[in-house]
Amino acid sequence: MAHEHLRLGVNIDHVATIRNARGGPHPDPVRAAHVAAEAGADGITAHLREDRRHISDDDINHLARTLSELGLPLNLEMAATDEMLAVALRHRPRAACIVPEKRAERTTEGGLDVAGGRDHLAPVVGLLSEAGVRVSLFVEPDPYQLDLALAIGAPVVELHTGAYCDAPAGPVRDREFSRIEGAAAHAASIGLECHAGHGLGFDTVSDIAAIPTIVELNIGHFLVGEAIYVGLNAAIREMRRLMNEARHET
Ligand code: PXP
């Protein structure tokens, strides 16, 4: 089967986390975006959280300018709030991924409840789409959530791979993998573009990358951690190599 090119979106949030630990300008996520571009990233992902714990409004301003110079798309991860909608409509990034956000969580802990949130998600999807932003909804690998995503007009879903990545090797991980594989096939069958991400590392990326209907992976925390040992460029290149190998791309 011919596989579509699998894009790698590099999430640079945790470059900002390290910077913010000291409050100064170093390390700069914009420099990380330059390195990611050199290393072959297909896009940069950044999550502007309500509490601004990592990426700041200034980062988004600088990233938007730099990425348009580099010709690299920005994928803005955002909660479906009025404040974030205003930011997204001001910048009009190439893509926006709508995520649930709870103040107390350490990271995005689960996918969106599209059924429960339908009434406030649908207008956000509509306004972003009208502004030319390609909207994805971050959801659990559950066909019901995918059907609802389609029903409210989202062209793309991003499947949450966290439970798969956290599971120990064995039956639990196998079950989580089957859920992702099934959801990715379902997405394609109903005409949704399918992305995946959260928690992926060198030991978990290959099986996910081999799923042919997934066309984009968004990966951050592992790459920034690995960069401490080998550098960001080398970490991204190795991730890209594993993705290509799984996809039989050169
Ligand atoms: N995709 C989404 C929607 C996310 O919220 C995150 C985390 O910000 C990621 C992908 C990347 O996850 P990780 O940093 O664990 O690679």
Side-chain angles (χ1 to χ4, degrees):
M1 169 172 190
H3 290 187
E4 200 171 323
H5 173 66
L6 178 60
R7 299 191 298 269
L8 171 59
V10 173
N11 180 315
I12 55 169
D13 291 350
H14 296 303
V15 177
T17 303
I18 297 169
R19 177 197 58 196
N20 295 356
R22 282 295 167 93
H26 180 76
D28 182 357
V30 174
R31 184 168 166 198
H34 279 279
V35 173
E38 278 162 27
D42 299 288
I44 298 296
T45 297
H47 185 177
L48 185 65
R49 294 186 75 104
E50 192 187 3
D51 63 8
R52 311 299 199 269
R53 71 176 70 155
H54 38 57
I55 293 292
S56 68
D57 297 74
D58 271 355
D59 289 331
I60 295 294
N61 292 337
H62 295 148
L63 280 168
R65 207 172 317 128
T66 302
L67 294 179
S68 88
E69 282 161 20
L70 290 171
L72 215 56
L74 171 64
N75 173 32
L76 178 68
E77 284 182 11
M78 54 176 274
T81 61
D82 290 345
E83 183 196 17
M84 290 306 151
L85 181 61
V87 171
L89 292 176
R90 194 161 60 243
H91 287 290
R92 297 180 187 224
R94 179 82 59 87
C97 180
I98 313 242
V99 299
E101 209 177 285
K102 293 188 228 115
R103 256 174 203 272
E105 70 189 358
R106 240 184 307 175
T107 180
T108 312
E109 283 166 358
L112 287 165
D113 171 11
V114 188
R118 185 184 183 129
D119 290 349
H120 83 274
L121 288 171
V124 175
V125 172
L127 288 166
L128 288 171
S129 300
E130 274 169 32
V133 179
R134 192 149 170 88
V135 186
S136 67
L137 299 186
F138 188 51
V139 292
E140 294 300 317
D142 171 356
Y144 175 62
Q145 296 293 342
L146 273 50
D147 290 340
L148 289 166
L150 183 72
I152 66 166
V156 186
V157 286
E158 179 161 323
L159 303 179
H160 191 311
T161 52
Y164 167 71
C165 293
D166 289 346
V172 179
R173 186 182 280 196
D174 293 349
R175 193 190 62 219
E176 291 300 332
F177 181 74
S178 299
R179 290 179 69 215
I180 295 168
E181 204 178 25
H186 185 68
S189 76
I190 61 174
L192 285 171
E193 182 175 314
C194 189
H195 302 175
H198 209 284
L200 292 168
F202 291 157
D203 61 342
T204 46
V205 75
S206 299
D207 286 346
I208 301 297
I211 298 173
T213 51
I214 293 178
V215 298
E216 180 173 309
L217 300 181
N218 284 297
I219 308 180
H221 181 264
F222 177 86
L223 289 172
V224 174
E226 193 63 13
I228 292 168
Y229 308 111
V230 302
L232 187 58
N233 187 302
I236 294 170
R237 283 183 193 276
E238 176 61 6
M239 191 62 82
R240 182 75 256 177
R241 189 190 69 74
L242 289 167
M243 287 165 59
N244 289 351
E245 186 179 75
R247 207 69 165 205
H248 308 295
E249 286 185 35
T250 47

